[in-house]
Amino acid sequence: MKAMLPGNAAGTDEPLALGEAAEPRPAADEAVVEVEAYSVSHGEVFRLDDRLDRGGARWRPGQGVAGAVLRPAADGSGPAEGARVVAHPPALGWAERVAVPTHSLAELPDSVDAVTAATLSPAGIAALRLLRAAGPLAGRKVLLTGASGGVGHYVTELAAAGGAQLTAVSATAERGAKLMQLGAIELVTSVARARGPYDVVLESVGGDSLTTALAALAPDGLLVWFGQTGRAPVALDFFSFFQGPNQARIAHFDYTTSDVTYGQDLSVLVRLVAAGRLHPEIGTVRDWTRTADVITDLCGRRIRGNAVLTVG
């Protein structure tokens, strides 16, 4: 079958290229999904140079796909052949077909198309789990950095629906207007302009953004660190930290750790979309042969919201 491969595996000098890959070999509890669309996330892009422990093979991305079940799981679990699904495979989803554990997929109603569904993983899952990590937000002041990305969009709408008084950090007026429509009560163009104190900070940029946001916390406030899209490391000074908000806490967030399965979270997100209570923002939709271009634009911050590729 055809799949997006690291350039060296596809026999080219390009970082990523369409090539030939082996067909999926599913375990008993895995369904084979024929991929119609997939999303590209910052986390996957950052991992493109990773290598597996065995054999030094390059890691192949693909953790947010939508399509139809081509072959149901042998153990009888999961949807039947032909069922339309959204899925979170552990990898390998940038391909014509992929094997997915049945606990990591959810069925789609006719009202939710594959392009929209593909945005729900991993961005929507990460947002849902991030808000669980932050705790109850009704009536609380929340600061969200990096709000212009796919995760930020979902966080804004879900947090606002939960009663949060959310301030979104976005450098662009157009994007900021959209975040206000989704329920943010305030927009600032940089974290330095945020007027605290905040009960909760959701931080995804890193570098100076985190240290500045940390200083805006209220006493006993919580900063949840869920990304570093700016790629700059964070420098924390012990004495400055303890001169700031009394008993402030920093929590590291990893969306892959949860007591809830990916399939359960995807089912929640699908229901919200189908009911008109969650509105995925799609920044671009392109043919999958242009995946490398999308990655370049994503890293250059030229895509707002989710990037989706369609498999022809």
Side-chain angles (χ1 to χ4, degrees):
M1 68 173 181
K2 294 189 181 301
M4 274 293 158
L5 305 173
N8 60 349
T12 175
D13 292 332
E14 297 296 323
L16 200 68
L18 196 62
E20 294 293 327
E23 289 283 351
R25 300 178 62 183
D29 65 344
E30 292 181 328
V32 175
V33 175
E34 188 164 32
V35 179
E36 183 177 339
Y38 60 79
S39 62
V40 177
S41 70
H42 279 286
E44 290 174 301
V45 172
F46 290 166
R47 288 191 61 191
L48 275 175
D49 289 332
D50 285 0
R51 296 182 180 274
L52 300 178
D53 292 333
R54 292 176 293 179
R58 294 283 286 275
W59 181 76
R60 283 173 46 201
Q63 296 178 300
V65 307
V69 174
L70 185 65
R71 192 189 324 166
D75 67 359
S77 63
E81 179 181 352
R84 298 177 60 248
V85 295
V86 58
H88 185 293
L92 309 177
W94 296 2
E96 290 181 308
R97 292 171 286 281
V98 63
V100 186
T102 54
H103 57 70
S104 295
L105 52 78
E107 291 197 57
L108 294 173
D110 292 339
S111 59
V112 180
D113 63 86
V115 169
T116 300
T119 71
L120 299 177
S121 175
I125 294 173
L128 197 59
R129 294 181 174 187
L130 178 64
L131 293 176
R132 286 198 196 106
L137 295 179
R140 305 185 78 190
K141 291 188 65 176
V142 178
L143 176 66
L144 172 65
T145 69
S148 295
V151 175
H153 176 106
Y154 285 126
V155 168
T156 299
E157 189 165 18
L158 291 170
Q165 301 176 46
L166 187 136
T167 296
V169 181
S170 175
T172 63
E174 178 183 358
R175 176 61 180 158
K178 179 65 175 180
L179 293 168
M180 295 291 284
Q181 293 174 9
L182 292 173
I185 65 168
E186 182 182 29
L187 174 73
V188 293
T189 55
S190 71
V191 67
R193 295 178 178 272
R195 298 190 300 269
Y198 296 96
D199 301 300
V200 177
V201 169
L202 305 175
E203 216 301 299
S204 65
V205 179
D208 292 340
S209 175
L210 187 146
T211 52
T212 303
L214 186 62
L217 271 178
D220 294 315
L222 171 66
L223 184 147
V224 184
W225 188 1
F226 70 100
Q228 193 162 300
T229 57
R231 305 305 291 265
V234 174
L236 288 178
D237 178 74
F238 178 87
F239 298 103
S240 296
F241 179 75
F242 286 103
Q243 288 172 1
N246 185 40
Q247 300 299 323
R249 294 167 291 144
I250 299 177
H252 172 262
F253 173 78
D254 176 2
Y255 90 92
T256 66
T257 301
S258 176
D259 294 333
V260 182
T261 68
Y262 291 129
Q264 288 171 320
D265 277 340
L266 285 170
S267 292
V268 170
L269 295 166
V270 168
R271 286 198 299 270
L272 291 173
V273 172
R277 296 169 57 192
L278 187 65
H279 304 83
E281 182 181 24
I282 302 171
T284 188
V285 180
R286 306 182 202 180
D287 184 83
W288 71 320
T289 57
R290 300 184 61 193
T291 299
D293 295 335
V294 167
I295 290 173
T296 298
D297 289 344
L298 197 66
C299 292
R301 299 182 182 277
R302 291 185 288 274
I303 296 175
R304 303 297 178 184
N306 295 279
V308 179
L309 287 303
T310 56
V311 179

